[in-house]
Amino acid sequence: MSRTRPLWAVIPAAGAGERFGGDVPKQYLPLLGRTVLEWAIRPFQARADVAGIIVAISAADDHWPGICLSSDRIQAVQGGPQRAHSVVAGLNALSGKADARDWVLVHDAARPCLTDEDLDRLVDAAAESCGGLLAAPVQDTLKAADNGAVARTVDREGLWRALPPQRVRMEELASALHRAEPAGCLAPDEAAAKERMGHRPRIVPGRADNIKITRPEDLALAEFIISQAGIARCGLAR
Ligand code: C5P
């Protein structure tokens, strides 16, 4: 059973946050007294069955030493030019520690609002399946545009927004990502890499407010969500 195996977390945190702007990458911005990244790591640190947390940071990162994560389960490694390269760097750091059949949870450093309950559901869902991802059903009416004008309305029935974390077997993710890279077609997320191999990761309904910090106004929203969803009550290990 997968529950008897240790879990591992890989957190790509090597983005420069160019769309966000500012001098400090968004994962290091302050949020309720800590950084966005610390909140993103929190749910994994809180689980006793997560044996190790690999955080892939940029070579130019001088913020990591300043954050207070005193755990020998957390290791920083150098990420790459794109998110998928950073995930591969995290997996490389796990080889030799993790078994090929172990589950890896891949989460984004820029998503600080993941609740323990959503992570539980992802871990518990389909222990024997080929992995899964949190997702929220699309609520808005979707328009396909062409030259700034509506070309057509897209039927949202059956459409989901993919949300990290995603849960993948170590060996399957490594082979999916390594296969994609030489072809120059890096997958946008772990599920997409596996879909290209013909796998069908399970959709685990999750909270729509597991938001990604993308614009400055998202920080106030994240603060509200963390406070309201009870995440702040769980506290952060130092
Ligand atoms: O840029 P975006 O917000 O979509 O990035 C998603 C996640 O991927 C972030 O946590 C970011 O730090 C990470 N990333 C990375 N390496 C890159 C680019 C992005 O680890 N080269």
Side-chain angles (χ1 to χ4, degrees):
M1 286 286 289
S2 67
R3 293 304 304 271
T4 61
R5 292 185 170 282
L7 295 164
W8 304 89
V10 167
I11 311 221
E18 275 156 19
R19 274 170 302 171
F20 191 95
D23 296 336
V24 178
K26 60 187 180 179
Q27 59 273 29
Y28 290 110
L29 289 172
L31 177 61
L32 289 170
R34 305 299 289 270
T35 59
V36 169
L37 175 59
E38 285 166 281
W39 286 108
I41 293 173
R42 181 206 65 80
F44 304 94
Q45 212 181 345
R47 293 186 70 102
D49 54 359
V50 172
I53 302 169
I54 309 294
V55 184
I57 60 175
S58 146
D61 186 329
D62 52 7
H63 299 278
W64 172 257
I67 70 172
C68 309
L69 289 166
S70 57
S71 166
D72 52 12
R73 284 189 295 163
I74 301 175
Q75 180 192 347
V77 298
Q78 188 175 319
Q82 293 183 45
R83 182 184 180 280
H85 298 119
S86 299
V87 174
V88 169
L91 290 180
N92 290 342
L94 283 180
S95 64
K97 290 185 190 183
D99 186 90
R101 301 282 297 155
D102 285 353
W103 291 106
V104 180
L105 301 158
V106 184
H107 188 52
D108 278 347
R111 292 205 190 243
C113 302
L114 172 66
T115 63
D116 294 341
E117 293 74 21
D118 267 9
L119 184 54
D120 285 347
R121 258 200 307 282
L122 179 69
V123 169
D124 290 342
E128 296 308 317
S129 79
C130 72
L133 66 152
L134 290 177
V138 170
Q139 308 283 12
D140 299 316
T141 301
L142 297 177
K143 304 289 183 191
D146 186 13
N147 277 331
V150 173
R152 65 196 159 83
T153 298
V154 179
D155 184 5
R156 69 180 176 213
E157 186 62 33
L159 293 185
W160 294 74
R161 292 190 299 117
L163 303 166
Q166 304 199 353
R167 175 172 177 254
V168 203
R169 282 211 199 273
M170 171 82 184
E171 62 187 354
E172 290 173 358
L173 181 56
S175 98
L177 291 173
H178 284 126
R179 202 179 289 192
E181 192 179 355
C185 50
L186 289 171
D189 66 4
E190 293 64 50
K194 292 200 57 202
E195 288 154 44
R196 288 176 186 169
M197 294 174 70
H199 296 176
R200 298 189 57 197
R202 173 173 287 248
I203 287 202
V204 180
R207 292 177 64 116
D209 58 8
N210 175 8
I211 62 165
K212 180 161 78 169
I213 303 295
T214 308
R215 295 153 305 188
E217 57 268 34
D218 295 332
L219 279 172
L221 189 56
E223 199 169 311
F224 178 78
I225 295 165
I226 288 173
S227 306
Q228 293 299 307
I231 299 171
R233 274 203 308 277
C234 306
L236 277 169
R238 289 218 180 237

